């Protein structure tokens, strides 16, 4: 009797373990499936919005007999803007999808990170100047790291672009570079509008924008930070945000100096 009981007991726990594992796996698959479904529905929504605007604008021109030239030009200008927006979304989506695919093959080389940051800021200064925003770079030490230059440039450019976009006129953007024996750290701080606490956990999600109407006015696809986070994770790094609404925002990126593939 005793032996049989023990056997039963074991078979029962085994079966239970297997069914637990199976349920767990099903649960994970469901989460994946849900997030894929949500992504596709988000994409469709985002792509349809500019189309809907264009349709309204085009329809209202078509249904009028005599369209004053000013009105015609204004509406056509608006249509062109919506086309640009559609283009931005598609480009960002392609970048994201491409990243997902190449997660295993980063193009790693020894990169001078000081030079990389200088180049990024040189490219973005003209945009900052339009809002009379000053960008300052503080390099605490020379840093060379094993990174994918293109992807890291994209990741950091997105942060600096945001620091300009969500800033006030005559504000500032402060970029700093530091390192210890294991990691380098890029910090991007701004004097901008800040991010409400309840949104801070979500801003890295695809298509998430704090203030839809305001962000729409400013321009942007809601994909920039998702792209940045992807690139950082591919480098086995981490990214953090600190923000006070009305005061400003700081993003800190930490990347290993040496790339270790799995
Ligand atoms: P977007 O294309 O809308 O800029 P991102 O993915 O780059 O998309 O950013 C997501 C959202 O996070 C933005 O819409 C904005 O609301 C918020 N955000 C990002 N960076 C900043 C910043 N430096 N200051 C304030 N808000 C920011």
């Amino acid at each position: 009797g005793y032996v049989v009981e023990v056997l039963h007991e074991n078979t029962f726990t085994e079966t239970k373990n297997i069914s637990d594992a199976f349920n767990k796996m099903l649960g994970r698959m469901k989460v994946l499936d849900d997030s894929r479904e949500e992504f596709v529905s988000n994409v469709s929504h985002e792509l349809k919005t500019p189309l809907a605007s264009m349709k309204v604008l085009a329809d209202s021109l078509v249904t009028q007999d005599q369209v004053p030239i000013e009105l015609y030009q204004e509406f056509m200008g608006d249509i062109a803007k919506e086309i640009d927006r559609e283009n931005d979304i598609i480009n960002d989506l392609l970048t994201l999808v491409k990243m997902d695919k190449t997660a295993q093959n980063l193009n790693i080389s020894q990169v001078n990170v000081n030079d990389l940051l200088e180049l990024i800021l040189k490219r973005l200064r003209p945009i900052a100047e339009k809002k009379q925003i000053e960008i300052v770079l503080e390099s605490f030490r020379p840093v060379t790291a094993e990174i994918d230059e293109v992807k890291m440039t994209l990741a950091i450019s997105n942060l600096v672009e945001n620091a300009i976009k969500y800033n006030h006129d005559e504000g500032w953007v402060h970029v700093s570079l530091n390192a210890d024996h294991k990691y380098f750290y890029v910090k991007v701080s701004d004097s901008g509008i800040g991010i409400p606490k309840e949104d801070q956990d979500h801003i890295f999600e695809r298509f998430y924008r704090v203030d839809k109407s305001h962000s729409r006015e400013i321009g942007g696809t809601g994909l920039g930070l998702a792209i940045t986070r992807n690139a950082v994770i591919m480098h086995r790094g981490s990214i953090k945000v600190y923000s006070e609404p009305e005061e400003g925002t700081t993003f800190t990126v930490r990347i290993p100096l040496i790339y270790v593939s799995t």
Side-chain angles (χ1 to χ4, degrees), residues 3-249:
V3 176
V4 172
E5 243 165 51
V6 169
L7 265 181
H8 266 143
E9 184 95 327
N10 279 347
T11 324
F12 176 74
T13 27
E14 277 289 296
T15 318
K16 194 171 171 311
N17 281 345
I18 291 172
S19 86
D20 277 357
F22 187 67
N23 280 334
K24 227 187 206 164
M25 203 171 75
L26 273 184
R28 275 204 205 123
M29 277 163 76
K30 175 144 173 38
V31 168
L32 274 179
D33 206 47
D34 285 354
S35 72
R36 178 168 303 230
E37 205 177 301
E38 191 189 326
F39 180 59
V40 170
S41 96
N42 281 344
V43 169
S44 316
H45 174 78
E46 295 294 326
L47 290 177
K48 273 182 171 174
T49 312
L51 279 182
S53 305
M54 285 188 255
K55 172 95 173 111
V56 170
L57 289 162
D59 277 350
S60 62
L61 286 181
V62 168
T63 50
Q64 287 187 49
D65 280 341
Q66 299 245 301
V67 183
I69 183 74
E70 296 79 23
L71 194 71
Y72 180 82
Q73 279 173 341
E74 188 192 326
F75 280 24
M76 276 305 181
D78 289 345
I79 289 175
K81 264 189 218 144
E82 295 297 335
I83 292 174
D84 286 344
R85 189 172 161 70
E86 191 85 58
N87 234 331
D88 286 348
I89 297 173
I90 291 170
N91 283 335
D92 278 357
L93 273 172
L94 287 177
T95 306
L96 256 179
V97 171
K98 229 163 79 191
M99 269 193 176
D100 281 352
K101 275 214 177 123
T102 56
Q104 293 313 313
N105 41 45
L106 282 174
N107 189 8
I108 298 285
S109 66
Q110 286 279 347
V111 174
N112 180 323
V113 185
N114 307 72
D115 289 351
L116 183 123
L117 290 181
E118 294 226 6
L119 199 69
I120 291 173
L121 298 192
K122 195 175 154 192
R123 281 199 208 124
L124 293 177
R125 274 207 178 92
I127 304 174
E129 271 161 21
K130 283 189 199 152
K131 288 175 79 175
Q132 287 153 293
I133 289 171
E134 190 192 10
I135 307 187
V136 181
L137 173 63
E138 190 173 14
S139 290
F140 289 101
R141 57 180 66 207
V143 176
T144 311
E146 294 177 3
I147 54 174
D148 183 317
E149 190 164 5
V150 173
K151 292 197 175 76
M152 194 52 63
T153 300
L154 194 62
I156 296 168
S157 296
N158 283 342
L159 295 180
V160 181
E161 273 171 41
N162 281 347
I164 299 167
K165 255 179 15 187
Y166 301 103
N167 214 324
H168 308 288
D169 285 0
E170 293 172 45
W172 50 261
V173 175
H174 190 170
V175 181
S176 75
L177 173 64
N178 211 341
D180 53 29
H181 62 292
K182 244 183 138 174
Y183 302 98
F184 73 86
Y185 304 82
V186 177
K187 223 189 227 186
V188 180
S189 305
D190 65 57
S191 58
I193 60 175
I195 303 167
K197 292 274 175 275
E198 65 268 26
D199 295 300
Q200 289 176 17
D201 285 343
H202 301 288
I203 50 173
F204 297 100
E205 292 164 15
R206 294 161 178 192
F207 296 119
Y208 194 89
R209 275 169 265 165
V210 172
D211 175 350
K212 287 253 175 201
S213 59
H214 186 58
S215 300
R216 208 172 140 69
E217 214 174 276
I218 293 177
T221 60
L223 292 171
L225 286 179
I227 291 173
T228 295
R229 202 179 82 111
N230 252 10
V232 167
I233 288 175
M234 283 165 77
H235 283 86
R236 307 186 197 296
S238 60
I239 181 164
K240 282 197 183 120
V241 59
Y242 306 89
S243 187
E244 277 300 327
E246 300 308 319
E247 278 178 29
T249 303

